[in-house]
Amino acid sequence: QVQLVESGGGLVRPGGTLRLSCAASGSIFRIDVMGWYRQRPGKQREMVAQITHLGATLYGDDMEGRFTIFRDVTEDMVFLQMNSLKPEDTAIYYCNTKARSTDDPSVTRDSWGQGTQVTVSS
């Protein structure tokens, strides 16, 4: 099992910046993909950004350019740098991993953090 702990959310004014962090722990053999999802009020959860263990990145619609995902492979951490924030970025942001455990490295399993609130408002 992988445990995820997010931090860095909060209240920010439009145009501001925030950096989210997520630390993974547990019986980790390898984390294939680390990513961020968000759920805006009244909306379905959506992918914000993902990064593989090789550094390949994928961004959701309208995310690339304002958001940057990066990870520290040695520390099993992933970060989301969010710039030029807009009110519509207000959401709960969740960390996600697709990881292989030391118990069974042949299987990749999803894990989710508890979420961190980001509010963009003047």
Side-chain angles (χ1 to χ4, degrees):
Q1 293 288 346
V2 175
Q3 293 80 45
L4 302 174
V5 178
E6 302 118 329
S7 60
L11 173 64
V12 64
R13 295 183 184 278
T17 65
L18 278 177
R19 178 177 292 185
L20 305 183
S21 302
C22 174
S25 63
S27 304
I28 299 171
F29 175 76
R30 189 181 74 193
I31 301 177
D32 290 345
V33 183
M34 299 189 84
W36 292 93
Y37 288 70
R38 71 182 185 185
Q39 189 158 18
R40 295 183 283 179
K43 304 286 188 180
Q44 289 188 330
R45 191 173 295 190
E46 60 183 340
M47 192 269 288
V48 177
Q50 291 181 340
I51 185 167
T52 73
H53 69 287
L54 297 177
T57 58
L58 178 68
Y59 291 89
D61 293 341
D62 193 37
M63 309 294 182
E64 193 165 15
R66 296 191 301 123
F67 295 176
T68 303
I69 188 170
F70 56 101
R71 66 185 283 185
D72 182 333
V73 177
T74 61
E75 298 293 333
D76 287 331
M77 294 189 70
V78 65
F79 306 89
L80 184 68
Q81 178 68 38
M82 303 188 292
N83 300 329
S84 303
L85 283 161
K86 306 174 182 179
E88 51 264 42
D89 294 317
T90 295
I92 300 174
Y93 285 72
Y94 296 91
C95 180
N96 170 265
T97 60
K98 304 181 192 310
R100 303 169 188 267
S101 74
T102 54
D103 297 333
D104 188 355
S106 68
V107 177
T108 301
R109 292 187 174 88
D110 267 309
S111 296
W112 294 90
Q114 79 285 357
T116 185
Q117 177 71 46
V118 171
T119 302
V120 185
S121 175
S122 55

